[in-house]
Amino acid sequence: MIDHDVVLQARRLTKTFGGFVAVKDVDLRIRRGTIHALIGPNGAGKSTVFNLLTKFLPPTSGKIIYEGHDITGLKPADVARMGLCRSFQISAVFPYMTVLENVRVALQRPLGTSFHFWRPKSSLYKLNDRARELIEVVNLTQWSDHIAAELPYGRKRALEIATTLALDPKVLLLDEPLAGMGREDIARTSALIRRVAADRTVLMVEHNLSVVAELCDVITVLRRGEVLAEGSYETVSRVPQVREAYMGTANV
């Protein structure tokens, strides 16, 4: 029986590299309209699970179900067109294009005009209004005409979220969106994630526990490629093995 509240699901997801088991029998249920975090110490398998879910890695065994459909054998572009869209740890914007131009290029993909290079630039102007709406969503309006390479780091990550939103995702997957940020950028980006999650589901890999505690509805803790605990922050933070994995002692 299909649970329509679950938008993305992993069933006994396993990934091996040679003789090394990176992910073992991971079960995940990402509920619609939630912010769900994958956390765990270094080497826990977070990025591997993330890459499996977004089809950048093929699983050794197990299934991935999205909106009730088995997407295990699909390619990244296939699932992106279905509304399962991801960001990356390393910023993936065009550095020598403006903020507006970056978002406008991203908007071409759903329209099927991504490779129509022979069309005049003026043909893209019809996308400007929607591009500016997305730029406003991520608070980059004053940076619209700036070259992406000139943006401060936190603003560059906001631009990446805007280009991902241009694909009109139902599920937005964010890979360490706060990595390398200072306190001000963390606060700004956390607020942005909460805002964009108002009408979509968000799954994020994140190390910043204070942000996860404040932002996320559900937290899945991984250790050595397996699910150690799952639930609210209050629930998982009481698990002795979780406390030991993050703080070095179960008696904190």
Side-chain angles (χ1 to χ4, degrees):
M1 182 177 178
I2 297 174
D3 185 345
H4 293 286
D5 284 336
V6 176
V7 64
L8 180 62
Q9 185 175 4
R11 298 177 183 170
R12 299 182 65 83
L13 202 58
T14 297
K15 180 64 180 178
T16 60
F17 297 95
F20 174 67
V21 181
V23 172
K24 182 180 179 182
D25 292 334
V26 166
D27 289 328
L28 279 176
R29 291 165 61 87
I30 313 301
R31 304 196 77 82
R32 196 181 308 276
T34 61
I35 304 178
H36 193 127
L38 282 178
I39 70 170
N42 289 334
K46 303 182 300 296
S47 293
T48 302
V49 169
F50 200 83
N51 286 327
L52 289 168
L53 292 174
T54 54
K55 309 308 302 151
F56 281 79
L57 280 176
T60 303
S61 61
K63 287 186 176 183
I64 302 166
I65 309 297
Y66 172 64
E67 292 282 25
H69 301 287
D70 187 341
I71 64 168
T72 311
L74 298 185
K75 297 178 180 179
D78 296 327
V79 298
R81 281 191 288 269
M82 295 169 70
L84 189 64
C85 304
R86 67 169 292 175
S87 71
F88 294 84
Q89 259 183 282
I90 300 173
S91 184
V93 298
F94 295 104
Y96 299 110
M97 296 174 67
T98 67
V99 167
L100 178 64
E101 288 168 342
N102 264 280
V103 178
R104 199 166 59 195
V105 166
L107 283 169
Q108 291 179 72
R109 184 65 183 176
L111 297 177
T113 59
S114 302
F115 304 107
H116 293 186
F117 296 116
W118 60 86
R119 292 187 175 183
K121 185 176 180 180
S122 59
S123 69
L124 301 179
Y125 291 166
K126 64 182 180 181
L127 300 176
N128 281 356
D129 288 346
R130 178 57 180 154
R132 291 194 175 98
E133 287 176 6
L134 290 171
I135 289 168
E136 184 176 359
V137 166
V138 299
N139 292 327
L140 288 179
T141 299
Q142 69 185 85
W143 301 87
S144 292
D145 297 323
H146 284 67
I147 299 298
E150 299 173 353
L151 296 177
Y153 180 72
R155 304 288 187 178
K156 198 174 294 181
R157 297 309 300 263
L159 173 57
E160 184 180 330
I161 291 176
T163 59
T164 307
L165 291 177
L167 302 175
D168 196 22
K170 296 178 183 176
V171 180
L172 180 62
L173 299 105
L174 303 175
D175 193 3
E176 298 194 25
L178 308 174
M181 290 188 183
R183 184 177 301 175
E184 182 178 342
D185 281 336
I186 286 174
R188 183 185 297 114
T189 306
S190 296
L192 168 59
I193 292 170
R194 188 182 298 279
R195 189 160 60 250
V196 301
D199 55 358
R200 58 182 54 84
T201 305
V202 174
L203 174 64
M204 57 191 289
V205 170
E206 187 49 57
H207 283 290
N208 191 316
L209 290 184
S210 62
V211 170
V212 167
E214 179 183 343
L215 197 59
C216 298
D217 303 298
V218 182
I219 299 166
T220 299
V221 185
L222 298 176
R223 185 178 66 173
R224 298 173 187 166
E226 299 183 69
V227 174
L228 176 61
E230 186 171 274
S232 66
Y233 180 81
E234 291 74 17
T235 298
V236 301
S237 64
R238 289 197 295 265
V239 176
Q241 296 94 325
V242 173
R243 298 169 71 87
E244 185 174 7
Y246 272 97
M247 304 172 189
T249 175
N251 298 314
V252 175

